Amino acid sequence: MLALNSVSLRSKLFFAIYTPCLILSIIASFAFTLSRFDTIDRNFKEGVEKSVSQMTVSAEHALSHSDKGMLNDILRTLLKHDHINTVQLYNAEEKLITELGKTSEVNTLPFTNANESDENPHFFATIAPIKHPVTRLEHQSNTNFITSSYSVPQVSGWLKVEASKEASIVSKYRYLSATLGTFFIFNLLAIFALLNVTSSLLRPIEKISDTVNKITQGHFGATKGLNLPTQYSTVVSDLNDISSRLENHRAEILSNVDQATEDIRRNMDSLEEKSAQLHIANKEATESNRLKSQFLANISHEIRTPLNAIMGYIQILQKDQLDKQQRLYMDTIAQSTTNLLTIISDILDFSKIEAGKLSLDLTDINIRDIVDEVYQILSSANLVNASKELDLIPEFDLDVPTWVIGDPVRIRQVLTNLIGNAIKFTHEGSVRTKVKILEKSNSSLKLSFQIIDTGVGIPENKLDNLFKPFSQVDTSTTRKFGGTGLGLVITKKLVKQMGGNVEVSSEHGIGSNFRFTIVLKPSQKEQKVEEPISKSLLVFEPSLNYRNYLKTYLNHVGANCTFTSSLEQTVTLLNSQTSLDAVLLNIDSHTEKLEEIQELVAYITQQFRLPCILLTKRPHDISKSSILHTLCSEILMTPISHNRLNKSLRSLEEPKLLSEDRLYADETTTPELTTELELEAVEPPEETSPLSGIQILAVDDTQINLQLLGHWLEPHGLQVDLAYSGKQAIEMAKETQYDLILMDIQMPEMDGMEATQRLRKLTNYVHTPIVALTAHALGSEQKQIVSSGMNAYLTKPVNEDILLETITQWCQSKKSYQDLADEKVLALFDIDKALSIANGKSVIAKDMFDMLLNTLEADKKLILHHFEEKDLAKLIHVVHRLHGGSKYTGAIELSKHAGFLETHLKELQFDDVEGVLEDFTDSIDALIDIAPLIKWPQE
Ligand code: ADP
């Protein structure tokens, strides 16, 4: 099949027609030859037989007359005949009488009454009887026998002739060669004719195929020279049609390819640009990383050193004689400095862990004491204030050993962060820390800590981000608590370093459960087996949580306790129980009055002579009451430290007996520093101060900031009123007409922007200058500040001079911030031009402007990069693009400077280009700056 496929069409067609011709000619030649051979044979035999038959009549006569001469003549006559080689004459007795010619070759012929013949490939032999008619002889003598005797002739001898077939064979050959000749001539003619026919049949097809080939090679004009017979006219027109379509199609493809090539070229350009941008970004990232490491390496020294000095001097100053106001300042400075130190430590820890430089310092630690200490520190660190009703409960499983080997600093840090967060985000209920053993072996001890709070909880969708650096669940400007967002990240890394992991589960509004495990080593330090405290105690504890907690602990140390939850019950039990050794009173400092507490303690100690231990939350007047200190065996602050409670119970003091006078003398308590700000009368204002008499409302949720504002402004004759929240500011503004308001942005419940919007709705505050005090003056925030109705903003930390300058500016100039902003925008941006290019469509104009704006930063970097690399072509390319972009977006100043730079680069290349380039980059910065201030018309 494959072979057939490779045969050309011409050959196939030729053989298709020729093969039947050939077969027919062979059959015809064969048939003719056979029939002719047969005729030759027959004629040959008939000739011989006829000659013999004729001679038998003459021979009969010669025989009957025994005429030998005649016989010989007859025989010679026969011999003269073509082909006859041998002639024999036999008598009636079948004896050879005469023989002429060659010796006979055939002796098989029988002597019969009829002619007989035989042959082999070379000879033909025939024998004929020589009969003489007897009747004729009889007739001569007896006429009656004539008839009968006439029908029975007598054989008087036989004439046998042998003829050679040579001549007939020769004539057969001759005929055969003639036939073959004819056959070949016929076939030659047929082949010739067929070749002509096939080529005349195939020529158009070949031409068509050739044309199609040319078309496929792209020679679409090939159909024009195609001359074919008329019957092919449709094919020709179809080919013309296909060819012209292909030509059009190719033109289309070519133009598409051109377009695609152009696109690719452009993409390559932009890729090149992008790669240059990436290169720049990479360089910047590496550089900033290096700077970060360098900065962090120095930060400890650079920040801690002055902070240490500050802390030191604060401590010295705190010991000095200070008035109330000065003490308040000192305490707040001390508090702020401690906070700052914590933040710096957090950042340093974070970077140390990041760099893998944090190593653990293992030593023997009392794990219970650490948890207690953390609770103690946190509860005294202003986290638990008067408004919080929190039970802070550490719960240890009894099998948790007191001493283990671990890093006390890092464990304390983890606990401080988790328990600190729990206290921070819980307003009522409890913060419990459950500690238990997970795994224990001779060489290691796996402890599990659970910090369970009943606080605000964390929404499920925020849980994943908790352990990411700088993440806060509440990112709003109204969030209540500050923080770096690094605490949990550091915690996680520390815990990991201590062989454990942190998990959290939380329900929004219900509370959170932070769990972590750490692997510690068992300590060889002797676990002190303490004597049981075999004392009978009456414990007044109103909180169920604390009751359970105390019950477990006191039972564990061997004390026998009776618990009461109300004072009445306590008094009743005091009267009914006889075998008491001591009384423990947990006094809620906010529900019980000091006098009542004193009375109760006096009752217990004086009446029943029982030692009394007071437990109370800090801060409370109890701690300042000297009478209580005298009466009580111990005053302990909650959260209770196991250690201290243990010690107090073991060293119970017999109560002192006091006289009535002493007991009910007026107790002078040293009041604790109030958290409310009490500003004392400040120095009288300078008469000459231009700001004298201006009334300012300062709004901030941080006392220190407010304090500072008052401290700065009042000496200049300004009257400063302070508001701690947006709500309070509105209330105060309704009462008093202020000349200027200083407004913090980030405040709990109502932020500065919302407060401003509400103030603007008050008829007498429509035009009052409101100056924002903000921590981050980001572009987006500036815009929000302006749109909320504020006139200006100052970035924290605010400098005293700038603050006074701003107040002077706003209180004396009547230009609004928006006016100033509008002026600034006008100088750089032509909104009418931008709109006219976009056919007045503000949305389109803004989109086009934003597109330009979004590329500005990257383009600026790219331009500086090309400038550094001294790549003129690329530099011109980017500047040219920006020039074009700025023309169509109304960025007039940028467009002007881009034009200058482009011309300069083209004419003078890099000669003295620095100044022009600087103007150009400045105009980019300026445009980015004013972009948020542009007032696009609403459609
Ligand atoms: P920070 O040091 O600023 O407190 P953290 O990493 O410790 O940062 O905490 C990140 C955020 O996780 C907090 O701002 C708070 O929103 C949330 N968070 C942490 N602990 C609790 C908790 N116990 N209850 C509610 N929210 C919490």
Side-chain angles (χ1 to χ4, degrees):
M1 194 58 146
L2 205 71
L4 203 64
N5 280 343
S6 61
V7 175
S8 70
L9 179 65
R10 183 180 285 263
S11 311
K12 278 184 194 164
L13 184 64
F14 173 80
F15 283 111
I17 303 172
Y18 176 63
T19 311
C21 288
L22 179 68
I23 293 167
L24 272 178
S25 65
I26 290 172
I27 293 171
S29 305
F30 195 67
F32 282 132
T33 308
L34 279 185
S35 105
R36 185 63 192 153
F37 277 15
D38 190 47
T39 311
I40 290 171
D41 275 349
R42 203 162 2 99
N43 287 347
F44 170 71
K45 284 178 197 168
E46 277 174 8
V48 174
E49 280 170 352
K50 201 172 165 188
S51 303
V52 172
S53 296
Q54 282 171 357
M55 286 303 150
T56 50
V57 179
S58 309
E60 188 269 323
H61 182 75
L63 265 182
S64 61
H65 293 90
S66 304
D67 186 348
K68 267 198 166 186
M70 191 179 169
L71 275 174
N72 279 335
D73 288 342
I74 289 167
L75 293 183
R76 258 183 227 107
T77 311
L78 271 174
L79 212 50
K80 277 181 197 158
H81 196 283
D82 277 348
H83 324 306
I84 294 175
N85 294 339
T86 310
V87 182
Q88 289 178 330
L89 187 67
Y90 292 88
N91 63 11
E93 284 81 36
E94 300 175 2
K95 277 198 181 146
L96 180 67
I97 307 167
T98 316
E99 182 178 17
L100 285 183
K102 292 179 186 168
T103 321
S104 168
E105 301 273 345
V106 182
N107 293 318
T108 51
L109 288 173
F111 296 91
T112 59
N113 268 346
N115 288 0
E116 298 287 344
S117 53
D118 193 8
E119 65 183 312
N120 67 18
H122 304 289
F123 293 99
F124 175 73
T126 182
I127 188 164
I130 304 169
K131 298 173 185 172
H132 87 102
V134 178
T135 43
R136 214 185 296 164
L137 295 173
E138 294 289 318
H139 182 69
Q140 284 172 354
S141 55
N142 187 1
T143 39
N144 290 339
F145 292 102
I146 289 173
T147 318
S148 56
S149 304
Y150 197 80
S151 58
V152 186
Q154 292 286 309
V155 176
S156 54
W158 283 272
L159 188 63
K160 182 182 165 193
V161 172
E162 282 182 27
S164 164
K165 282 185 175 176
E166 227 166 74
S168 80
I169 288 170
V170 168
S171 64
K172 272 183 188 174
Y173 275 121
R174 221 177 276 140
Y175 183 77
L176 188 62
S177 4
T179 309
L180 280 176
T182 317
F183 174 81
F184 281 118
I185 289 167
F186 168 77
N187 274 285
L188 275 178
L189 288 174
I191 288 168
F192 182 70
L194 270 177
L195 283 177
N196 272 334
V197 169
T198 47
S199 64
S200 66
L201 274 178
L202 287 178
R203 199 168 301 123
I205 294 172
E206 280 170 353
K207 277 189 181 172
I208 290 169
S209 145
D210 189 38
T211 311
V212 170
N213 256 341
K214 284 183 179 161
I215 291 172
T216 48
Q217 282 162 18
H219 306 293
F220 298 109
T223 47
K224 293 203 178 88
L226 188 65
N227 284 324
L228 290 180
T230 43
Q231 60 266 37
Y232 288 97
S233 58
T234 42
V235 177
V236 174
S237 79
D238 285 352
L239 269 180
N240 274 329
D241 189 26
I242 289 171
S243 153
S244 69
R245 279 194 205 183
L246 280 176
E247 193 167 7
N248 291 341
H249 198 54
R250 188 175 73 158
E252 207 173 300
I253 287 174
L254 280 179
S255 89
N256 284 347
V257 167
D258 283 351
Q259 181 65 39
T261 318
E262 178 62 13
D263 286 353
I264 289 172
R265 200 186 55 74
R266 273 205 219 119
N267 284 346
M268 293 287 286
D269 281 357
S270 102
L271 264 181
E272 216 174 292
E273 264 181 27
K274 289 268 167 339
S275 114
Q277 282 170 351
L278 271 180
H279 178 71
I280 297 167
N282 191 22
K283 236 166 72 179
E284 282 176 357
T286 321
E287 177 61 8
S288 63
N289 205 23
R290 193 187 64 78
L291 286 176
K292 190 187 96 183
S293 312
Q294 201 178 332
F295 169 72
L296 288 173
N298 296 334
I299 197 167
S300 168
H301 182 76
E302 296 296 328
I303 300 179
R304 278 168 187 265
T305 312
L307 275 181
N308 266 345
I310 295 170
M311 282 298 274
Y313 281 109
I314 291 168
Q315 279 158 14
I316 294 169
L317 284 172
Q318 275 175 328
K319 283 178 200 155
D320 277 2
Q321 285 287 322
L322 299 173
D323 66 22
K324 214 161 93 185
Q325 182 69 31
Q326 287 165 333
R327 181 160 297 283
L328 181 64
Y329 289 168
M330 287 322 298
D331 286 350
T332 38
I333 294 172
Q335 181 62 51
S336 302
T337 316
T338 318
N339 288 347
L340 188 55
L341 267 175
T342 319
I343 293 171
I344 290 166
S345 306
D346 263 7
I347 294 174
L348 280 179
D349 273 348
F350 174 70
S351 46
K352 261 197 222 164
I353 298 171
E354 282 282 278
K357 284 185 184 155
L358 192 115
S359 55
L360 297 177
D361 196 1
L362 301 183
T363 173
D364 286 306
I365 48 171
N366 185 328
I367 193 80
R368 287 165 195 262
D369 278 356
I370 288 184
V371 177
D372 276 350
E373 269 169 39
V374 171
Y375 268 116
Q376 293 294 323
I377 292 166
L378 290 175
S379 66
S380 61
N382 266 347
L383 282 175
V384 188
N385 55 38
S387 65
K388 286 200 184 185
E389 280 303 319
L390 278 188
D391 291 336
L392 305 176
I393 303 169
E395 288 175 28
F396 280 86
D397 272 8
L398 296 176
D399 57 346
V400 175
T402 309
W403 289 96
V404 287
I405 295 178
D407 184 332
V409 177
R410 298 307 169 189
I411 296 176
R412 197 175 286 122
Q413 197 176 348
V414 170
L415 285 168
T416 307
N417 187 35
L418 294 181
I419 299 174
N421 277 346
I423 295 175
K424 199 154 73 170
F425 294 102
T426 308
H427 304 297
E428 56 181 358
S430 61
V431 173
R432 291 133 63 98
T433 302
K434 287 187 176 180
V435 187
K436 56 182 169 197
I437 297 182
L438 278 189
E439 286 162 27
K440 191 176 179 181
S441 74
N442 287 341
S443 58
S444 79
L445 181 73
K446 192 170 188 178
L447 289 189
S448 134
F449 293 75
Q450 284 193 58
I451 292 93
I452 307 163
D453 67 54
T454 55
V456 294
I458 302 161
E460 208 180 329
N461 59 348
K462 305 269 180 166
L463 284 176
D464 286 347
N465 285 334
L466 273 189
F467 295 97
K468 290 186 182 150
F470 308 105
S471 73
Q472 300 281 353
V473 171
D474 182 1
T475 49
S476 71
T477 46
T478 51
R479 75 188 164 97
K480 281 193 174 152
F481 304 104
T484 51
L486 286 176
L488 289 177
V489 187
I490 295 172
T491 299
K492 188 173 181 182
K493 297 197 181 228
L494 287 177
V495 165
K496 204 170 164 206
Q497 196 152 359
M498 289 190 273
N501 63 331
V502 195
E503 282 173 3
V504 57
S505 54
S506 183
E507 220 172 305
H508 197 40
I510 305 281
S512 312
N513 182 349
F514 281 83
R515 301 173 291 279
F516 73 92
T517 54
I518 47 173
V519 180
L520 302 162
K521 285 185 187 150
S523 167
Q524 295 305 317
K525 203 160 174 167
E526 220 180 310
Q527 311 281 342
K528 211 163 67 186
V529 185
E530 289 185 319
E531 284 278 302
I533 304 170
S534 315
K535 295 210 163 111
S536 185
L537 305 173
L538 177 65
V539 186
F540 162 62
E541 174 53 73
S543 149
L544 178 67
N545 281 329
Y546 260 120
R547 264 206 309 277
N548 290 339
Y549 159 63
L550 284 174
K551 202 181 275 177
T552 317
Y553 178 68
L554 293 172
N555 285 344
H556 174 60
V557 294
N560 176 21
C561 306
T562 312
F563 283 88
T564 63
S565 56
S566 70
L567 285 175
E568 293 75 36
Q569 204 187 358
T570 315
V571 175
T572 318
L573 276 174
L574 268 172
N575 284 302
S576 62
Q577 289 225 356
T578 47
S579 58
L580 285 174
D581 294 312
V583 179
L584 252 80
L585 296 178
N586 189 356
I587 301 294
D588 187 340
S589 45
H590 303 290
T591 51
E592 312 300 335
K593 284 191 187 138
L594 185 64
E595 296 78 49
E596 284 172 12
I597 300 167
Q598 283 175 0
E599 226 170 87
L600 178 67
V601 173
Y603 182 62
I604 294 167
T605 52
Q606 307 299 308
Q607 186 84 13
F608 294 94
R609 311 217 156 225
L610 286 173
C612 180
I613 298 176
L614 262 190
L615 309 171
T616 187
K617 278 181 191 164
R618 96 178 58 212
H620 192 260
D621 292 349
I622 290 173
S623 53
K624 312 283 184 316
S625 160
S626 59
I627 191 89
L628 282 177
H629 275 288
T630 321
L631 289 176
C632 293
S633 170
E634 192 83 70
I635 298 179
L636 298 175
M637 295 295 157
T638 54
I640 305 154
S641 147
H642 288 105
N643 211 359
R644 283 203 215 141
L645 181 61
N646 196 313
K647 273 189 196 150
S648 321
L649 286 173
R650 285 180 193 282
S651 55
L652 283 173
E653 281 177 18
E654 279 299 310
K656 290 183 188 103
L657 284 177
L658 297 182
S659 67
E660 287 280 309
D661 297 352
R662 178 84 203 278
L663 270 178
Y664 298 106
D666 242 7
E667 180 69 26
T668 44
T669 54
T670 319
E672 207 180 338
L673 281 176
T674 170
T675 49
E676 297 297 317
L677 181 72
E678 294 170 33
L679 288 173
E680 283 190 345
V682 286
E683 290 164 36
E686 288 169 38
E687 292 280 310
T688 51
S689 169
L691 299 175
S692 180
I694 289 179
Q695 276 210 312
I696 302 255
L697 176 64
V699 193
D700 201 316
D701 63 323
T702 321
Q703 289 172 14
I704 310 160
N705 291 343
L706 279 181
Q707 218 172 295
L708 207 61
L709 287 175
H711 185 65
W712 279 340
L713 300 179
E714 283 172 353
H716 294 275
L718 290 133
Q719 288 173 23
V720 186
D721 282 350
L722 308 169
Y724 300 100
S725 69
K727 269 189 191 159
Q728 198 188 350
I730 293 167
E731 291 309 314
M732 289 171 75
K734 281 181 190 165
E735 304 275 309
T736 318
Q737 177 63 50
Y738 293 101
D739 298 312
L740 185 139
I741 297 172
L742 297 171
M743 180 75 79
D744 183 23
I745 295 294
Q746 191 169 312
M747 287 186 288
E749 289 165 25
M750 186 192 290
D751 65 22
M753 288 183 268
E754 194 186 334
T756 307
Q757 278 163 359
R758 294 197 185 195
L759 278 170
R760 289 291 183 224
K761 286 186 188 145
L762 304 177
T763 44
N764 47 343
Y765 278 94
V766 178
H767 298 296
T768 309
I770 302 178
V771 178
L773 303 175
T774 169
H776 327 271
L778 304 176
S780 57
E781 207 182 48
Q782 282 178 33
K783 201 177 176 184
Q784 277 181 321
I785 288 171
V786 174
S787 57
S788 74
M790 295 196 191
N791 300 73
Y793 66 86
L794 291 176
T795 314
K796 287 180 186 174
V798 181
N799 171 295
E800 187 180 351
D801 294 338
I802 294 176
L803 177 67
L804 287 168
E805 206 178 287
T806 312
I807 293 174
T808 316
Q809 182 196 341
W810 284 103
C811 289
Q812 286 171 0
S813 145
K814 289 297 160 205
K815 255 186 191 171
S816 72
Y817 176 73
Q818 190 61 57
D819 291 341
L820 295 174
D822 285 350
E823 276 173 20
K824 211 168 153 190
V825 171
L826 219 59
L828 302 170
F829 178 72
D830 184 347
I831 194 158
D832 293 336
K833 192 170 181 184
L835 287 172
S836 81
I837 286 167
N839 274 340
K841 298 250 183 292
S842 155
V843 177
I844 299 175
K846 186 171 181 313
D847 276 356
M848 281 165 66
F849 180 77
D850 285 347
M851 260 160 63
L852 173 78
L853 194 68
N854 291 338
T855 59
L856 280 183
E857 275 292 358
D859 279 346
K860 186 177 130 186
K861 286 180 186 165
L862 202 62
I863 285 167
L864 293 176
H865 172 75
H866 292 326
F867 177 68
E868 262 176 40
E869 304 279 311
K870 293 277 172 282
D871 192 335
L872 187 67
K874 285 184 184 164
L875 184 59
I876 292 177
H877 177 72
V878 185
V879 175
H880 176 77
R881 203 185 55 207
L882 267 184
H883 188 193
S886 55
K887 260 191 208 162
Y888 297 107
T889 48
I892 42 175
E893 190 69 2
L894 176 66
S895 166
K896 186 175 87 186
H897 287 289
F900 288 164
L901 183 60
E902 191 179 345
T903 317
H904 189 112
L905 288 170
K906 281 179 181 164
E907 301 296 326
L908 304 169
Q909 284 87 42
F910 289 108
D911 290 349
D912 298 326
V913 76
E914 286 79 5
V916 190
L917 181 66
E918 202 180 315
D919 287 348
F920 173 70
T921 51
D922 284 352
S923 65
I924 290 183
D925 292 342
L927 188 65
I928 293 173
D929 254 9
I930 60 108
L933 307 174
I934 298 174
K935 286 192 288 182
W936 294 98
Q938 300 289 322
E939 274 181 9

